[in-house]
Every structure is written in C-alpha cells, then in structure tokens.
Amino acid sequence: MAAGLPEPLLLSTVLHLDEVTIGGQSVDFKYVFFTWIGMLILAVTGLILKSRISMVPGRLQNFFEALVGALEDFIVSSMGEKGRRFVPLLAGIFIYILTMNYLGLIPGLDAPTANLNTTVSVALFVFVYYNYIGIRQWGARYIGHFTGPSKPLIPLMLPIEIISNLARPLSMSLRLFGNIFGEEMTLLIFFSFGASIYAGVFLGTVPLYFLFLLGKTLQAYILFILAMIYIQGAMEHAH
C-alpha cells in the first residue's frame, strides 16, 4: 500500500496507467507510445542517413539503397513507368509497417500493428488515397469501375462492387492486426511459460524470433502489395 491509498484503489490505478481518456473514450496509450518510438527510430535513422550520404556509401546507405531500389523495381515492373511517382508513398508504407511490426520483437515493447487503431488508420489512408487517384484521373467515369462490363447487370454489379470496395480497408486492417496480434500473443505465452519453468524452455523460444521475423516481414509486404494493386486498379481504364 502506497501514499495511504486503499489497496483496491491502488490496484485500479496501476491497471489503468496505460489508458488515457480522449473525448470521453478510453484509449490504450501504450500503443500510441510505441508508435511514437517507431516514428522516432525512423526519424533518427533518416537524419543519420541524410548526414552520411556519400558517393562511397556506407552500410546504412547501402542497405536503404538496396531496399528502396528493390521496391522501386518491383513497382515499376508491375505498374509501368506511371508507377514510379508512387514509389515514395508505397516504399514509405512498407518501411513504416515493417518498423512497427519489428518493435514487437524487442523485449518490453509491443508492435503498434497489434492494435486495430494502427492498422485501421493505414488501411483507411490507402482507401481514401486510391479512390482520390481514381476520381482525379477519370472524373465521373470512375463510376465505371463499379458497374461491371455489362449494362444490363449494372443494378446487380453496382452494389456488389461498392460493398467489395468498402470491405477493402476492413480486410487490410484485420489481416495485418490478426497476424501480428497472434504472433505477439504466441511469443508472450511461450516466454511466460519458459520463464516460469526453466531456462531450457525459455531458450527454446529463441527460434520463434526467426519465424516471427519472417512473418512480420511478409505481412508488411502483403499490405504493400495490396496498396499497390488498389492504386493500379484505380488508374486503369474500367472494363
């Protein structure tokens, strides 16, 4: 008991330290905090990289040149030269999601993408952006992306395509959230079990890091691919 507080009140205070109230709603603040940590890591890395840019690149510059170059080659090979202008956006989404996923591998931290607030915000941004691109390029003709190839089928296809389009951010956010949250819980359970039994079981969880490293990379890549496909579809002529 501390500061004369009754034990139930003290326990309640401790249990809710990771929550803040915004607009009358409880928000899990720890994921916001971990997101800030991830953004700080990216900002510091960017500043260090900027200060060390050279004609004879170092390891950090080589790594990011290889990463962004590979992403650029993939985008251009998939979308053509018109896709080159989306490289900063798509590469940024991949690096951001990858960083947030990897935070969950650091002891004491959680992946912000294990919270729906993070995944939904990214998915909604992609949804708004690719529809904006489609409307800007095609104007009123963008509706053709939702009417199907046959005019008699428009009354049937229009609501189906609209619902399908609206479901995209839901599927993107839930896919990323479900996979990362599942990995985080699995890792937590294994470590808790190992720490409570003996060191051998604890050390046996180390190989899971390599499995989850692959899984977190794959999930960032999948979201990157989906964002690229949606943008590409919005830019193409409706058939």
Side-chain angles (χ1 to χ4, degrees):
M1 192 175 299
L5 288 175
E7 186 174 349
L9 179 58
L10 177 61
L11 180 60
S12 176
T13 303
V14 172
L15 290 178
H16 290 84
L17 280 178
D18 59 347
E19 293 184 356
V20 294
T21 301
I22 300 177
Q25 299 293 323
S26 293
V27 178
D28 198 346
F29 181 74
K30 69 176 182 178
Y31 289 106
V32 177
F33 178 71
F34 294 144
T35 300
W36 288 347
I37 292 178
M39 292 190 295
L40 180 62
I41 291 172
L42 289 174
V44 171
T45 302
L47 291 174
I48 293 174
L49 185 62
K50 180 181 178 181
S51 66
R52 295 182 180 179
I53 290 180
S54 171
M55 294 300 294
V56 182
R59 293 180 181 179
L60 186 63
Q61 184 177 339
N62 269 327
F63 172 78
F64 278 99
E65 283 184 355
L67 175 62
V68 175
L71 294 175
E72 181 178 9
D73 290 341
F74 182 81
I75 293 170
V76 173
S77 65
S78 301
M79 301 180 65
E81 283 299 319
K82 63 183 179 181
R84 196 176 297 277
R85 66 189 177 103
F86 299 109
V87 170
L89 172 69
L90 294 172
I93 289 176
F94 176 78
I95 294 173
Y96 173 78
I97 295 298
L98 191 66
T99 302
M100 298 303 160
N101 289 351
Y102 280 178
L103 283 181
L105 297 177
I106 302 175
L109 301 183
D110 288 333
T113 42
N115 183 273
L116 271 175
N117 291 308
T118 304
T119 60
V120 168
S121 62
V122 175
L124 285 177
F125 169 79
V126 173
F127 174 78
V128 171
Y129 183 78
Y130 80 74
N131 280 292
Y132 162 74
I133 291 295
I135 294 172
R136 189 180 70 172
Q137 177 159 336
W138 300 107
R141 290 180 296 167
Y142 184 58
I143 192 66
H145 287 75
F146 307 97
T147 56
S150 175
K151 291 184 178 180
L153 292 178
I154 288 179
L156 175 64
M157 295 301 299
L158 183 60
I160 293 176
E161 290 295 332
I162 290 177
I163 293 173
S164 176
N165 190 55
L166 292 174
R168 287 177 176 179
L170 179 64
S171 64
M172 287 179 70
S173 57
L174 289 180
R175 178 187 289 108
L176 180 60
F177 161 74
N179 282 280
I180 301 303
F181 182 78
E183 291 176 1
E184 295 287 295
M185 290 299 101
T186 302
L187 194 60
L188 178 62
I189 291 171
F190 269 90
F191 268 109
S192 300
F193 177 75
S196 62
I197 304 299
Y198 51 84
V201 178
F202 182 79
L203 293 175
T205 61
V206 174
L208 289 176
Y209 265 80
F210 298 99
L211 178 62
F212 291 156
L213 185 68
L214 176 62
K216 291 175 184 293
T217 304
L218 182 61
Q219 292 306 316
Y221 185 69
I222 289 174
L223 194 138
F224 158 79
I225 291 291
L226 289 175
M228 184 189 69
I229 291 174
Y230 294 156
I231 293 173
Q232 183 179 12
M235 293 181 63
E236 290 179 347
H237 191 278
H239 297 290

